[in-house]
């Protein structure tokens, strides 16, 4: 692998003493296994980059950067570390052949550059009611069909609904909350609230903009974790859950999800994230008709959505709430200014 990596580094303009330094850093490495104070023989490392190093991930990304060339006809190609995902609309056998051809090219790429796909871990997820569910192979082996996979910490299912993710997030949060309850018998509101917000709530909100629930059962599945945490705090005078939240100075998880939706919309609309807003939204001002909605250049034009999943997708569900935000708040200069402005807008509503 080292000669191929050095070849790619040269193609990226890395030459001279820097290339020589990287060559020296990669070659001559040895490793052994130690178990119960017994050691194996030393063995030379012939491939790979040192894990835990600063340069290792960069070199790996350079090495797999041209993987896209093998899948130029595929609609979606995503790489994250050593994970690769392909997505393609397949309504007929011709489109199936396009996807299969891309898989074959990936195998050819791996053989050319001295790498290998773990075919047993490669799976196919069929999405859509009209999906014909064709079979696919890699290196002569039929790929397993899956209904549920974890993608960068988020549970994705073939029906694209967030119910499983809600259950898993709630289960993990409940586990951590139980550990806190055993460790702290007197739960001072200030200390225990900080522990909850630092160790429990992140499990309920990790990447929630991507999987925000819309079924009441899923919302309640998450909310009951916070309800339990609030009921564990000592010395609260309030009676109802809502009153206790107000006494503690926090909001429901659903309100926080709305705030996070608006914050993400603000970042996209104002170029704070490295994505094009045209990818996500149609601007109301781009329409041919002059309407009150189109008067604000940061307003979004709603799209027709027939399917339940589409209606609750991020770029659809935020439209109405975002358009109701004052123009001054939407065009805030900084993220903090938007947060404060949006909070004041919600409190005054």
């Amino acid at each position: 692998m080292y000669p191929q990596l050095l070849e790619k580094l040269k193609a990226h303009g890395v030459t001279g003493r820097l290339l020589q330094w990287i060559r020296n850093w990669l070659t001559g490495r040895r490793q052994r296994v130690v178990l119960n104070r017994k050691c194996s023989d030393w063995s030379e490392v012939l491939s790979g980059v040192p894990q835990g190093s600063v340069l290792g991930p960069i070199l790996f990304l350079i090495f797999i950067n041209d993987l896209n060339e093998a899948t130029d006809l595929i609609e979606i190609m995503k790489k994250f570390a050593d994970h690769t995902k392909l997505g393609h609309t397949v309504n007929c056998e011709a489109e199936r052949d396009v996807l299969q051809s891309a898989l074959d090219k990936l195998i050819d790429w791996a053989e050319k550059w001295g790498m290998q796909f773990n075919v047993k871990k490669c799976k196919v997820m069929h999405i859509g009611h009209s999906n014909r569910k064709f079979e696919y192979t890699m290196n002569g082996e039929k790929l397993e069909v899956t209904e549920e996979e974890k993608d960068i910490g988020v549970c994705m299912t073939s029906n694209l609904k967030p119910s499983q993710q809600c259950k898993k997030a709630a289960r993990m949060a409940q586990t951590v909350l139980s550990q806190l309850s055993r460790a702290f018998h007197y739960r001072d509101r200030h200390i225990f609230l900080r522990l909850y917000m630092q160790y429990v709530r992140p499990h309920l909100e990790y990447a929630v903009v991507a999987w925000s629930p819309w079924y009441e059962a899923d919302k309640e599945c998450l909310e009951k974790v916070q309800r339990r945490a609030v009921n564990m705090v000592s010395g609260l005078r309030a009676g109802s859950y809502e009153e206790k939240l107000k006494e503690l100075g926090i909001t429901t998880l659903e309100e926080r999800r709305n705030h996070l939706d608006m914050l993400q919309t603000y970042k996209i609309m104002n170029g704070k994230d490295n994505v094009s807003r045209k990818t996500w939204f149609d601007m109301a001002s781009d329409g041919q008709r002059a309407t009150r909605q189109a008067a604000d250049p940061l307003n979004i034009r709603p799209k027709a959505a027939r399917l339940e999943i589409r209606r609750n997708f991020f770029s659809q569900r935020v439209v109405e709430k975002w358009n109701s935000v004052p123009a001054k708040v939407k065009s805030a200069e900084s993220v903090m200014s938007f947060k404060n402005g949006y909070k004041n807008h919600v409190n005054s509503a």
Side-chain angles (χ1 to χ4, degrees):
M1 174 180 170
Y2 294 144
Q4 295 96 321
L5 175 58
L6 296 174
E7 180 182 337
K8 291 191 175 185
L9 287 172
K10 289 180 183 178
H12 281 76
V14 179
T15 57
R17 296 177 64 182
L18 177 57
L19 182 65
Q20 184 60 43
W21 183 90
I22 295 175
R23 179 187 288 110
N24 294 339
W25 181 64
L26 291 174
T27 55
R29 290 183 173 273
R30 298 190 303 161
Q31 64 182 10
R32 66 176 179 176
V33 177
V34 180
L35 181 62
N36 295 330
R37 299 182 180 180
K38 294 184 178 181
C39 305
S40 67
D41 295 333
W42 285 99
S43 178
E44 186 177 358
V45 180
L46 301 176
S47 63
V49 291
Q51 293 188 13
S53 63
V54 175
L55 197 56
I58 299 175
L59 294 178
F60 180 78
L61 290 177
I62 291 175
F63 192 81
I64 68 169
N65 191 46
D66 62 340
L67 195 61
N68 302 58
E69 296 179 6
T71 58
D72 54 343
L73 298 179
I74 297 300
E75 295 171 354
I76 299 174
M77 166 69 167
K78 299 294 182 182
K79 295 176 290 186
F80 181 79
D82 59 345
H83 298 276
T84 303
K85 293 181 286 293
L86 301 182
H88 194 63
T89 303
V90 177
N91 292 317
C92 60
E93 292 189 5
E95 291 170 343
R96 180 265 177 197
D97 292 341
V98 171
L99 182 52
Q100 180 60 59
S101 176
L103 295 174
D104 294 338
K105 288 180 180 179
L106 289 177
I107 293 295
D108 294 340
W109 180 92
E111 291 180 355
K112 176 182 177 181
W113 295 105
M115 299 189 74
Q116 185 177 9
F117 285 97
N118 189 337
V119 178
K120 295 187 182 301
K121 289 186 177 181
C122 296
K123 299 179 182 179
V124 178
M125 179 178 287
H126 298 292
I127 298 175
H129 296 295
S130 59
N131 195 307
R132 297 178 62 180
K133 300 182 180 181
F134 290 107
E135 293 183 355
Y136 299 92
T137 62
M138 288 187 74
N139 208 21
E141 294 185 39
K142 178 183 173 182
L143 295 183
E144 179 185 347
V145 176
T146 182
E147 298 293 326
E148 178 184 320
E149 284 296 317
K150 195 173 184 180
D151 185 19
I152 317 181
V154 177
C155 179
M156 303 295 296
T157 58
S158 58
N159 60 16
L160 299 181
K161 295 180 180 180
S163 299
Q164 284 299 107
Q165 171 63 21
C166 291
K167 292 176 183 177
K168 291 191 174 184
R171 187 160 54 245
M172 179 61 71
Q174 288 277 23
T175 300
V176 178
L177 185 59
S178 297
Q179 293 171 344
L180 291 178
S181 68
R182 289 193 295 269
F184 296 87
H185 298 288
Y186 178 75
R187 293 126 191 179
D188 174 82
R189 70 173 64 188
H190 301 292
I191 295 176
F192 195 76
L193 187 60
R194 290 183 63 183
L195 291 171
Y196 164 74
M197 291 191 293
Q198 185 169 352
Y199 294 107
V200 180
R201 196 167 66 182
H203 290 290
L204 302 172
E205 296 182 337
Y206 171 74
V208 73
V209 172
W211 55 268
S212 186
W214 61 84
Y215 291 129
E216 290 302 322
D218 293 337
K219 293 179 183 180
E220 179 59 23
C221 178
L222 300 174
E223 201 71 47
K224 71 178 182 181
V225 180
Q226 179 165 280
R227 185 179 287 107
R228 179 192 172 199
V230 167
N231 289 332
M232 291 167 61
V233 177
S234 304
L236 294 181
R237 301 186 185 88
S240 68
Y241 172 56
E242 290 72 17
E243 291 171 342
K244 289 179 180 179
L245 290 179
K246 189 173 182 179
E247 185 176 344
L248 290 170
I250 60 177
T251 65
T252 63
L253 294 176
E254 184 170 9
E255 288 180 70
R256 282 184 55 81
R257 289 194 293 270
N258 290 335
H259 284 216
L260 292 172
D261 274 352
M262 292 298 98
L263 178 60
Q264 185 59 56
T265 306
Y266 164 79
K267 290 179 179 180
I268 294 175
M269 297 295 288
N270 290 273
K272 303 296 183 180
D273 278 350
N274 189 26
V275 295
S276 171
R277 67 185 186 185
K278 293 182 179 180
T279 302
W280 293 94
F281 306 116
D282 290 338
M283 307 309 297
S285 57
D286 293 341
Q288 296 180 352
R289 296 175 57 191
T291 63
R292 180 185 300 179
Q293 188 181 72
D296 186 343
L298 287 178
N299 272 356
I300 303 171
R301 176 154 48 91
K303 301 177 183 178
R306 180 176 57 86
L307 299 177
E308 179 185 52
I309 292 175
R310 172 59 63 183
R311 289 196 300 270
N312 291 281
F313 186 65
F314 168 74
S315 60
Q316 291 288 107
R317 68 173 184 263
V318 302
V319 173
E320 184 177 348
K321 290 186 178 68
W322 174 258
N323 288 347
S324 68
V325 176
K328 184 178 180 180
V329 177
K330 287 188 284 192
S331 58
E333 293 185 359
S334 67
V335 172
M336 186 57 65
S337 297
F338 174 79
K339 286 182 178 180
N340 294 332
Y342 183 72
K343 184 177 180 180
N344 293 333
H345 164 68
V346 172
N347 291 339
S348 62

